[in-house]
Amino acid sequence: RPYRLLATDSLLFFQTGSGDLWCTDGTQDGTRLRMPFRGGDGESSLISLMEWGDMLLFGINDRTAGPALWRMPIADGPAERIVQFSSREAFSNFWLTDAGAFVLFMLNDGNDRTELWRTDGTTPDTRLITRLPETNAFEDFGFTVLDSTVYFQATDSLHGSELWKTDGTAGGTALLADILPGAESSDPGVFTVSDGLLYFVADDGVHGKELWVSDGTTEGTQLLADINPGAGDSRPYPITPIDGYLYLSADDGVAGMEPFRSDGTPEGTQRIADIREGNGSSPSQYFAIGEGIVCVANDGGGNELWMLDPAGLESPKPVRDISPLGGSFPMNLVEMKGLLYFTATDGFHGRELWRSDGTESGTWMVSDLIPGQASSSPGELTPFRGWLFFTATDSTVGQELRMLAPLE
């Protein structure tokens, strides 16, 4: 049962159901066990695997020993523990984040509150930055890097949950903007970087949950567009940079949740389609495919792939009605070499692997691994060395790692 696939330049890493860490170069002979792991006993777990230079960094939570930070050479060699932190029974998510000159991560202080740490992959340079004693250790911090500064959501009693930043030092870790002044929270999130600016969603108490922008300064942090005018929430999500624009789903209070495009200005933030008039199509997952933008949306007949004109000058159209019986519900979408790979069910074959070039004739099922209506349930779609790696189940070997040659 492979999971947690991570592609580096030379090797693809993954874990198995027992927790063991493996790697492969895409050949059977080049697939090998790298670190036996006793994760199956529930006493310890590997989490937050990331590439850092020529090493892998990862955290391990152990009920007895507490959390620890580990490293492993990507090419070959044993794993080494960098730091064993004090014995804490509390679980830490780590959220390892590449900040350029260092890796930022978080630890649970043992009381479900947050400590910020940094490392360069060595023991001497793994150190505490600061404690955030009022920030819940299980929050989604949304660590997002812009110009070697990490932006995130944190909480204190004076300001509530607001936008913070850190440069990896205690003095450089601070509240950036109290968007909703006072102890109430603006709850910033959905952080995205594009063209040297940080975009996110927040609620200032006046305009509802709307699209904001920051240049990394307090005075440069401001509302970008009040898409749903007044106190209503437009709830932008996701925010996807493509070719100098932001594509997002939002509710303007008229059409429901529909696709928008923004050039980073209030006047240049406009709805580009109304797929399900009056009710909202709840589009998601935007990709540049072929001549337009492909997303997943529901026109009332279930979720399918839709093609959007980037400028909104032409009407949206379904790429292909994969399941006329009520939506194919595309999932696990990933772009590779100009093609969109995803999983879907057409009502006849179960959930299988599909591909699309953005046209009806170029959208088809790649393989029916379990013939008939049963599903092979492909997942973890990961491009590596020009091939698509994924997990799937068949009736012969069960759930295993598989690879697909590039399709033209």
Side-chain angles (χ1 to χ4, degrees), residues 347-370:
F348 302 99
H349 295 96
R351 183 160 294 279
E352 298 292 348
L353 182 64
W354 287 67
R355 57 86 85 180
S356 177
D357 63 0
T359 69
E360 182 176 11
S361 61
T363 302
W364 34 268
M365 185 170 63
V366 174
S367 178
D368 187 16
L369 289 176
I370 300 184

Side-chain angles (χ1 to χ4, degrees), residues 372-402:
Q373 292 189 336
S375 298
S376 69
S377 302
E380 303 265 356
L381 277 61
T382 305
F384 173 62
R385 287 186 166 182
W387 292 61
L388 183 69
F389 284 73
F390 61 100
T391 63
T393 302
D394 66 22
S395 56
T396 304
V397 299
Q399 186 178 10
E400 293 292 348
L401 183 65
R402 302 165 191 273

Side-chain angles (χ1 to χ4, degrees), residues 15 61 86 130 173 175 242 249 262 266 290 299 324 362 384 390:
Q15 283 186 266
N61 284 293
S86 59
T130 190
T173 303
L175 174 74
I242 299 176
S249 304
S262 176
D299 67 350
F384 173 62
F390 61 100

Side-chain angles (χ1 to χ4, degrees), residues 45-363:
S45 59
L46 185 152
I47 195 166
S48 198
L49 184 69
M50 71 165 288
E51 181 180 8
W52 173 248
D54 60 357
M55 296 183 295
L56 290 185
L57 298 182
F58 52 92
I60 291 181
N61 284 293
D62 189 285
R63 290 181 183 270
T64 303
L69 182 66
W70 288 69
R71 68 184 179 196
M72 173 190 288
I74 288 176
D76 201 6
E80 301 175 286
R81 184 166 46 212
I82 300 172
V83 177
Q84 177 68 62
F85 301 99
S86 59
S87 182
R88 319 175 189 198
E89 293 184 2
F91 180 90
S92 290
N93 283 312
F94 282 88
W95 300 118
L96 291 165
T97 301
D98 184 351
F102 64 95
V103 171
L104 180 74
F105 64 101
M106 62 75 62
L107 284 178
N108 189 325
D109 68 358
N111 296 303
D112 294 343
R113 297 303 171 186
T114 300
E115 295 176 351
L116 288 182
W117 288 70
R118 61 174 290 168
T119 185
D120 67 353
T122 68
T123 302
D125 276 331
T126 299
R127 58 185 184 270
L128 175 69
I129 299 172
T130 190
R131 292 180 172 86
L132 301 173
E134 296 171 295
T135 299
N136 190 302
F138 299 106
E139 285 188 12
D140 181 2
F141 299 93
F143 290 148
T144 303
V145 181
L146 173 61
D147 295 333
S148 299
T149 298
V150 183
Y151 298 85
F152 59 100
Q153 172 184 281
T155 303
D156 67 24
S157 58
L158 294 178
H159 306 97
S161 178
E162 294 292 350
L163 179 62
W164 285 60
K165 67 176 182 178
T166 183
D167 62 2
T169 68
T173 303
L175 174 74
L176 175 61
D178 189 12
I179 293 171
L180 178 50
E184 294 187 75
S185 301
S186 70
D187 291 323
V190 199
F191 299 113
T192 303
V193 169
S194 179
D195 293 332
L197 295 171
L198 177 72
Y199 296 90
F200 60 99
V201 176
D203 183 350
D204 64 1
V206 177
H207 301 96
K209 289 186 178 296
E210 295 292 348
L211 183 62
W212 283 66
V213 62
S214 178
D215 63 1
T217 67
T218 301
E219 58 275 13
T221 301
Q222 56 192 333
L223 178 70
L224 171 58
D226 188 14
I227 295 173
N228 190 340
D233 298 326
S234 71
R235 305 186 310 279
Y237 182 86
I239 304 172
T240 307
I242 299 176
D243 294 335
Y245 292 93
L246 300 175
Y247 292 86
L248 55 134
S249 304
D251 183 351
D252 60 7
V254 176
M257 192 68 76
E258 292 290 353
F260 278 69
R261 186 179 79 162
S262 176
D263 63 2
T265 67
E267 60 275 10
T269 303
Q270 300 289 333
R271 176 161 46 88
I272 58 173
D274 189 2
I275 295 172
R276 188 179 184 183
E277 295 184 7
N279 293 300
S281 62
S282 300
S284 63
Q285 303 189 69
Y286 296 93
F287 295 87
I289 301 293
E291 298 296 319
I293 303 296
V294 173
C295 69
V296 178
N298 183 353
D299 67 350
N303 283 7
E304 294 287 357
L305 296 181
W306 283 75
M307 176 64 77
L308 308 175
D309 172 29
L313 300 178
E314 298 183 9
S315 298
K317 57 184 179 182
V319 174
R320 174 180 169 180
D321 191 6
I322 293 174
S323 178
L325 304 178
S328 65
F329 294 90
M331 298 170 59
N332 311 111
L333 283 72
V334 64
E335 184 273 335
M336 187 176 78
K337 294 188 174 182
L339 295 177
L340 190 63
Y341 293 87
F342 58 98
T343 68
T345 173
D346 62 5
F348 302 99
H349 295 96
R351 183 160 294 279
E352 298 292 348
L353 182 64
W354 287 67
R355 57 86 85 180
S356 177
D357 63 0
T359 69
E360 182 176 11
S361 61
T363 302

